Amino acid sequence: MKKINVKDITEGALYVACYGILALISRYLITGVDSMIYYIYPLPMAIYSSRKSFRISLIAALAGITLSFLFANPLYVLILMMPNIIGGLILGSFLKRTPKQIITYLVVFIIFLFSDFFSIWLFEKINNIGYWDDIVDWSIKILRIFASFDEEILKKVLISLFVVVIIVDSLIKLVFNVLIFFLIVSRLNLVKDIKIGFKIPLRYSPIIGIIFVILFLGTYITLIKFISMPSNIIEVLFTIFIALYFILSIYIMYQVVMYFRIKFKKLPMWSFIFIVLFAFILFPITHLIGIFLNLLNYNYIKDAL
């Protein structure tokens, strides 16, 4: 049996301490901060597990979960922190040992997605409440201010939308953690035997623009059909269309942001933050610009710059 190195224990203690700090932040600071740091929970364990063996990383993960229970609300740790620490453990371990990184991303995405649905289910069971029903009822009360709707149909539409939001949230969390992971690992040279291979491809194509328009029209048509003739098949189609539409819309925003970054190279780096913010705030305009760039096949223009 291989002995555990003292250096591994010491380093593991530092990463475990990170979760103690995050647990304290979630408990004592302003309400809403815990939601802001939700996305970085997998990161410390991902970095540590990419540097050490799975066995020693698993011990550190269990220690981090235990420490979090001591400093934060146990329900919060059980629902949010524990699944994300496990996700970070799998992310770092798989990135180091799996030849095809796409397998790692798929596995971790499924873990994040499962943990989100599991968290909601567990929250409902422990508190004996209907999480989805409460959100839907609250949303309907707001929508009633602007117009009248068939509540039963609207409930089904909203539940489909919330499912899509959870899927997109899991995807965003995966991309965010992988990008920050590779940034930290490469800049600090923390892992020598890991391939830094994550890159979101920047490709403009008329096909992307056409698919985006089809998904938009498909979402709109299935929504209208679902309101007029509700059925399970149309509900499933609507959920699929809107999920793909949301995912591709994020990529379209990425294309537009990179277009402005390439086109205006002389702008200072800090201006990039404002470009990203405007892309999200003015997303209808961003989508129109993205469709235009793809239909023009902007790759040729980009290569000429």
Side-chain angles (χ1 to χ4, degrees):
M1 183 177 178
K2 187 179 179 181
K3 292 183 179 179
I4 298 176
N5 194 305
V6 176
K7 183 180 178 182
D8 293 343
I9 297 175
T10 306
E11 186 176 340
L14 293 175
Y15 285 93
V16 169
C18 290
Y19 287 109
I21 295 171
L22 292 173
L24 285 170
I25 290 174
S26 70
R27 183 166 187 170
Y28 292 110
L29 291 189
I30 304 170
T31 302
V33 175
D34 52 349
S35 300
M36 295 170 62
I37 62 175
Y38 160 76
Y39 286 94
I40 67 173
Y41 285 151
L43 198 56
M45 190 49 58
I47 296 173
Y48 182 72
S49 59
S50 68
R51 291 170 50 80
K52 307 299 177 183
S53 66
F54 182 80
R55 184 171 68 95
I56 190 67
S57 300
L58 179 60
I59 295 172
L62 294 174
I65 293 170
T66 304
L67 188 65
S68 300
F69 273 112
L70 296 175
F71 289 108
N73 186 321
L75 179 61
Y76 178 85
V77 176
L78 189 64
I79 290 176
L80 287 179
M81 294 193 72
M82 186 173 72
N84 284 290
I85 292 174
I86 295 172
L89 171 67
I90 301 299
L91 176 62
S93 300
F94 273 46
L95 281 175
K96 185 177 181 180
R97 298 169 181 84
T98 308
K100 293 185 178 180
Q101 292 183 352
I102 187 65
I103 297 174
T104 301
Y105 303 144
L106 181 60
V107 170
V108 176
F109 170 72
I110 292 172
I111 290 173
F112 285 159
L113 186 61
F114 172 78
S115 67
D116 284 344
F117 283 111
F118 172 76
S119 300
I120 293 171
W121 175 82
L122 189 62
F123 184 79
E124 286 183 328
K125 292 297 180 183
I126 293 175
N127 293 282
N128 195 26
I129 61 172
Y131 180 84
W132 294 108
D133 293 336
D134 288 346
I135 293 180
V136 169
D137 291 340
W138 179 76
S139 301
I140 289 174
K141 288 177 181 178
I142 294 176
L143 292 172
R144 275 180 186 163
I145 299 173
F146 303 99
S148 59
F149 301 93
D150 186 320
E151 289 192 11
E152 290 302 318
I153 295 175
L154 187 58
K155 280 183 178 181
K156 292 182 178 181
V157 172
L158 288 173
I159 288 174
S160 298
L161 287 173
F162 293 143
V163 170
V164 171
V165 168
I166 291 175
I167 294 172
V168 174
D169 175 77
S170 300
L171 183 63
I172 292 173
K173 185 164 60 173
L174 170 65
V175 173
F176 174 80
N177 276 276
V178 172
L179 285 173
I180 301 300
F181 170 83
F182 280 126
L183 179 64
I184 294 174
V185 165
S186 59
R187 290 293 177 90
L188 301 181
N189 196 25
L190 294 177
V191 185
K192 295 181 180 180
D193 56 344
I194 191 170
K195 184 180 178 181
I196 310 296
F198 184 84
K199 184 179 179 182
I200 302 176
L202 180 61
R203 182 73 184 174
Y204 301 88
S205 169
I207 296 175
I208 295 175
I210 293 169
I211 291 174
F212 184 75
V213 173
I214 291 172
L215 290 175
F216 174 78
L217 293 175
T219 301
Y220 179 76
I221 292 170
T222 52
L223 176 61
I224 298 300
K225 287 286 184 182
F226 185 61
I227 292 173
S228 59
M229 296 182 298
S231 68
N232 292 332
I233 295 175
I234 297 177
E235 183 179 359
V236 171
L237 287 173
F238 171 69
T239 304
I240 293 172
F241 269 114
I242 197 169
L244 295 175
Y245 171 75
F246 265 104
I247 292 170
L248 190 57
S249 68
I250 293 173
Y251 184 72
I252 292 284
M253 289 181 186
Y254 166 71
Q255 287 181 320
V256 174
V257 168
M258 293 307 298
Y259 163 76
F260 283 103
R261 186 61 192 159
I262 294 169
K263 192 72 173 177
F264 304 101
K265 296 179 180 179
K266 295 182 180 180
L267 289 176
M269 193 63 188
W270 57 265
S271 63
F272 186 73
I273 299 172
F274 290 98
I275 293 174
V276 173
L277 288 174
F278 282 121
F280 276 93
I281 295 170
L282 305 175
F283 66 91
I285 297 174
T286 305
H287 289 165
L288 290 174
I289 295 173
I291 293 170
F292 181 72
L293 292 174
N294 280 289
L295 293 178
L296 282 182
N297 199 3
Y298 179 68
N299 295 290
Y300 299 113
I301 306 172
K302 179 166 70 73
D303 294 337
L305 290 177

